[in-house]
Structures are given as C-alpha cells and as structure tokens.
Amino acid sequence: MGAGAMGQCGITSSKTVLVFLNLIFWAAAGILCYVGAYVFITYDDYDHFFEDVYTLIPAVVIIAVGTLLFIIGLIGCCATIRESRCGLATFVIILLLVFITEVVVVVLGYIYRAKVEDEVDHSIQKVYDAYSGTNPDAATRAIDYVQRQLRCCGIHNYTDWEKTEWFKETKNNSVPLSCCKATSTNCTGSLTHPMDLYSEGCEALVVKKLQEIMMYVIWAALAFAAIQLLGMLCACVVLCRRSRDPAYELLITGGTYA
C-alpha cells in the first residue's frame, strides 16, 4: 500500500471518529442540560433543608457547558468537513477550556457533597419548628412533600414531632398525615397506632437524596470530560497530519503519492 493510501486511510479514520464525536457532543449537551435542570428542580423541593445556594453552582456550570457543547459540535463538524486548520484549532482550544471547566465542576461537586450533611443538620430543626399544619406556608409544604416522597416521619423518627410547637398546640397526640404509610388507608396520624406511621427519620434520607443528586452532576461531568478528551486527541491527530504529512497535502490538492 502506498504512502498516499495509508495517509488517506489514517486521515479518514480520524475524521470519521471526530464527526461521530461531534454528534455525541450534541447528545451530551442535551443530557448535561437535563441533569442541570433536574438539580434545580430537586433543589427547589428541598431548599428549606439546605440553605447554601452556592450548592447550585455546579448545576449552573453544567447547564452552561451543555449549551456550549451545542456550539462546539457545530464548530467541530464544520471544521472537520471543510478541513479547516483554523476551525480545528479553535475546536481544540474550546474543548480544552470546557474540559477544564468540567474538572472544576467535579471538584465543586465533591466539596458541596461533603457539606450537605452539616447544612441539613443545621437547618432541618428550624424547618420542623416552623411547621403550622393548617396554613399552606412554605415550611409545611416542604415537610409534607419530603415525608411523602421519602416515606419518612420526623427528623430521626416520628417521636420528634412531640417536641414541636405544632404538636403542643394541636394537643391531639398525633403527627401530620404525611407521616402515614401509603398502605395504611385509615391512618389518622395518631401516635397510639405507630404501625401506621413511617418509622425512619427524614434527616438521613434528605442527606442521602441531596448527595445522590450531587453525584449525578459529578458523574455526568466526568463522563463527558472523557469524551471531550477523546475529541481533542482526534482533532489534534487531524491537525498534525495536515501540518506534517505530505500525503495529506497531495490529497487536498488532488495529487497522487505513490
């Protein structure tokens, strides 16, 4: 096989992989935006238990990266098809910057994931103390939502309700109906029928849920950082062949190389 054929084979292979990766970038952009939006929506449900809004920084960054990936995929496809050296160089530089950004997201994700337990422990008692039961205020909605969704009751268990102002004011020896098990059709929240109530406390489950959400961000950033690294390598291969391989220049100009 001649050097020209070998060069063409190598170039075509690298370009094919690069175009395929650009298509993956578009899919990745959608997934990253979805993950970021999911974090925002979930945070809105649990924001009373986690007061540090800076926790949303990784989600904001990952949505921005997802949006940028749409543009990167377009630049990469155009540069690869038109064999533009300037376009490919721009593609590599942007990918490098996004790669660094995703590494930052991973680091921030781990930092805020470690802070979740302390933040929840600091705020959850205040939320339960603010529970009113009858008034549709934010604290009441947040607690009822969490207790139904996570199937829990109280901070550590259902007996924690006995220490709240709401329990003392109602004087009916019962907990909110959101503590009732979904299978208990006749549950009134009475502490005289503890078998009808969720036995697990909400604090540990809220911490677990928030840490899981942060792990989604971390794993998404790591996965797509690896894809971007492969994209940079392929683009560099095409750039290097265009610069150094005489067979490539002959292919571009329509010449032959035996």
Side-chain angles (χ1 to χ4, degrees):
M1 182 181 292
M6 292 178 64
Q8 184 178 16
C9 180
I11 294 164
T12 302
S13 176
S14 296
K15 287 170 64 178
T16 301
V17 172
L18 194 53
V19 171
F20 178 69
L21 284 172
N22 284 319
L23 297 177
I24 293 179
F25 288 157
W26 282 329
I31 295 172
L32 286 175
C33 289
Y34 172 80
V35 171
Y38 175 73
V39 172
F40 269 98
I41 293 170
T42 307
Y43 179 85
D44 187 56
D45 294 329
Y46 294 88
D47 61 347
H48 285 81
F49 304 95
F50 199 83
E51 298 174 349
D52 189 353
V53 295
Y54 293 107
T55 308
L56 292 175
I57 290 177
V60 172
V61 175
I62 209 171
I63 289 176
V65 168
T67 304
L68 188 58
L69 278 178
F70 279 110
I71 302 172
I72 291 174
L74 183 62
I75 293 174
C77 276
C78 292
T80 304
I81 293 171
R82 298 185 62 175
E83 298 170 341
S84 167
R85 179 179 175 81
C86 180
L88 283 172
T90 302
F91 177 67
V92 172
I93 292 171
I94 295 175
L95 273 185
L96 179 61
L97 293 175
V98 173
F99 176 80
I100 294 171
T101 302
E102 289 188 333
V103 172
V104 172
V105 168
V106 171
V107 173
L108 288 176
Y110 273 109
I111 290 173
Y112 288 119
R113 186 175 182 272
K115 293 174 61 178
V116 164
E117 188 169 359
D118 290 337
E119 284 286 335
V120 172
D121 184 62
H122 174 71
S123 60
I124 194 168
Q125 184 64 59
K126 292 189 293 184
V127 180
Y128 271 83
D129 288 340
Y131 187 87
S132 62
T134 54
N135 297 325
D137 58 16
T140 298
R141 290 197 304 270
I143 290 174
D144 285 337
Y145 174 83
V146 166
Q147 292 190 153
R148 288 193 179 100
Q149 287 294 113
L150 302 183
R151 299 181 179 182
C152 57
C153 185
I155 299 174
H156 303 102
N157 55 59
Y158 61 83
T159 61
D160 292 326
W161 278 104
E162 297 178 23
K163 306 170 188 174
T164 63
E165 290 298 321
W166 173 83
F167 183 89
K168 296 172 183 176
E169 289 174 2
T170 55
K171 299 178 182 178
N172 58 6
N173 197 40
S174 64
V175 296
L177 293 178
S178 55
C179 281
C180 293
K181 294 179 180 178
T183 55
S184 302
T185 55
N186 297 319
C187 178
T188 61
S190 175
L191 291 179
T192 58
H193 299 90
M195 295 301 293
D196 292 338
L197 309 175
Y198 294 123
S199 59
E200 193 168 0
C202 293
E203 181 176 7
L205 294 178
V206 169
V207 169
K208 181 181 178 182
K209 182 69 174 180
L210 292 171
Q211 288 181 336
E212 283 178 357
I213 293 168
M214 203 58 65
M215 282 306 299
Y216 294 154
V217 173
I218 292 171
W219 284 114
L222 283 174
F224 296 120
I227 294 173
Q228 287 168 225
L229 186 60
L230 183 58
M232 284 189 288
L233 290 174
C234 290
C236 287
V237 168
V238 174
L239 277 172
C240 289
R241 285 184 179 277
R242 193 182 191 286
S243 301
R244 301 177 183 177
D245 193 343
Y248 185 89
E249 297 298 332
L250 288 170
L251 286 169
I252 297 300
T253 58
T256 59
Y257 192 95

